[in-house]
Amino acid sequence: MRYVLQKLGFYVAALWAALTLNFLIPRWMPGDPVDIMISKLATRGPVTPSTRHAIELLLGTDSQQPLWQQYIAYLGQISSGNLGTSVVYFPTPVAKVISQTLPWTIGLIGIATIISFLVGIGLGTLAGWKRGSWLDNVIPVTTMLQSVPYFWLALILLFAFGSVWQVFPLNGGYDVYTTSIGLSWPFISSVLYYGALPALTIVISSIGGWMLGMRNMMVSTLSEDYILTAEAKGLKPGRIMRTYAARNAVLPSIAGFAISLGFVVAGSIVTEAVFSYPGIGSALLQAVNSNDYALMQGIFLVITLSVLGANLLVDLLYTIIDPRTRARA
């Protein structure tokens, strides 16, 4: 219990620090979302000072209030679930923008991350168990693919399979001309078809890191005394590999997977930009380009909560996976 309370206290402090930075960083950036909104309204007629003040209140950037009062108001809005109004998608609330784009990102980046982790850990386990095999010799090739710039790999795959051979579509999240959004097989199949190439890009670029990390940990674990003891007791090789070697070797990878899973919510801005995918990464890019404070803060908040939540979950799971953690706690 003491271990759990210590972890909860640490993550609460980390959340407060993240919220503070989330409030300050957009306000330190050049530009003003109020001016952007006024420039849009100016095309329809003159904008009075009262209108400007109303827009400032709407966007949460009231220049007539000191920064600390804006900070208190910001914390109050966050606690009530009010994330403000987006400039880019005005007058749509930020919460609605996030709820519309987040499922696309979780579906694409989340599934691709889980697939690359499971496949990479499985292949890394076999490569470490059978050192010198053909699978072990393939790892340098996979790490080379990981070193290729992310956007460059996406462009190569898009050119090859979207333009030359035309196996996959060039952009979008689904076929907007023949399907409508809903829980129907035509829509689901269209989403899977349009998301296959972006997901393949993520898997290819990330699987090498999981394989290399797991392979190295397997090699290190196989030299431990308890592995030699298990072999001396006559246990089956498969059981030694899974129960004794892989279970201990996978612990560092689980911590890395937690961080990767937390950043799933952030999406892959490069991938979504290259493939014009309607995820939260594209919304974040538009928010930064338009100095949309409210939308940036809302997306950063969701990213912060997901990363902290994923790490907290893994810290608690460590007490189940690794009994030594319970002993230290």
Side-chain angles (χ1 to χ4, degrees), residues 5-27:
L5 293 177
Q6 288 177 347
K7 287 297 180 180
L8 289 176
F10 169 78
Y11 282 106
V12 168
L15 177 60
W16 172 78
L19 288 175
T20 303
L21 290 175
N22 191 27
F23 170 79
L24 293 175
I25 289 177
R27 285 164 171 76

Side-chain angles (χ1 to χ4, degrees), residues 132-171:
S133 63
W134 67 268
L135 182 60
D136 193 17
N137 295 327
V138 169
I139 290 182
V141 178
T142 60
T143 54
M144 180 192 67
L145 292 175
Q146 187 182 19
S147 64
V148 176
Y150 206 66
F151 70 93
W152 185 246
L153 179 61
L155 289 174
I156 291 176
L157 293 178
L158 187 62
F159 175 75
F161 297 101
S163 179
V164 177
W165 290 301
Q166 298 182 357
V167 179
F168 297 103
L170 292 174
N171 54 60

Side-chain angles (χ1 to χ4, degrees), residues 201-221:
T201 304
I202 298 171
V203 171
I204 291 176
S205 62
S206 59
I207 193 174
W210 298 119
M211 287 183 63
L212 179 62
M214 187 61 184
R215 184 264 180 194
N216 293 338
M217 287 303 303
M218 280 290 294
V219 172
S220 176
T221 303

Side-chain angles (χ1 to χ4, degrees), residues 252-308:
S253 298
I254 290 179
F257 176 67
I259 298 176
S260 300
L261 202 60
F263 277 107
V264 162
V265 176
S268 177
I269 298 178
V270 175
T271 301
E272 294 183 3
V274 171
F275 293 97
S276 299
Y277 197 78
I280 201 169
S282 299
L284 178 59
L285 182 62
Q286 294 185 40
V288 172
N289 291 333
S290 302
N291 292 324
D292 190 344
Y293 291 172
L295 184 55
M296 281 189 289
Q297 288 176 321
I299 294 176
F300 290 154
L301 176 62
V302 173
I303 295 172
T304 300
L305 292 175
S306 63
V307 173
L308 292 178

Side-chain angles (χ1 to χ4, degrees), residues 173-175 178-194:
Y174 68 101
D175 190 352
T178 60
T179 59
S180 58
I181 298 178
L183 295 178
S184 61
W185 173 244
F187 174 73
I188 295 175
S189 61
S190 179
V191 170
L192 294 175
Y193 177 57
Y194 275 73

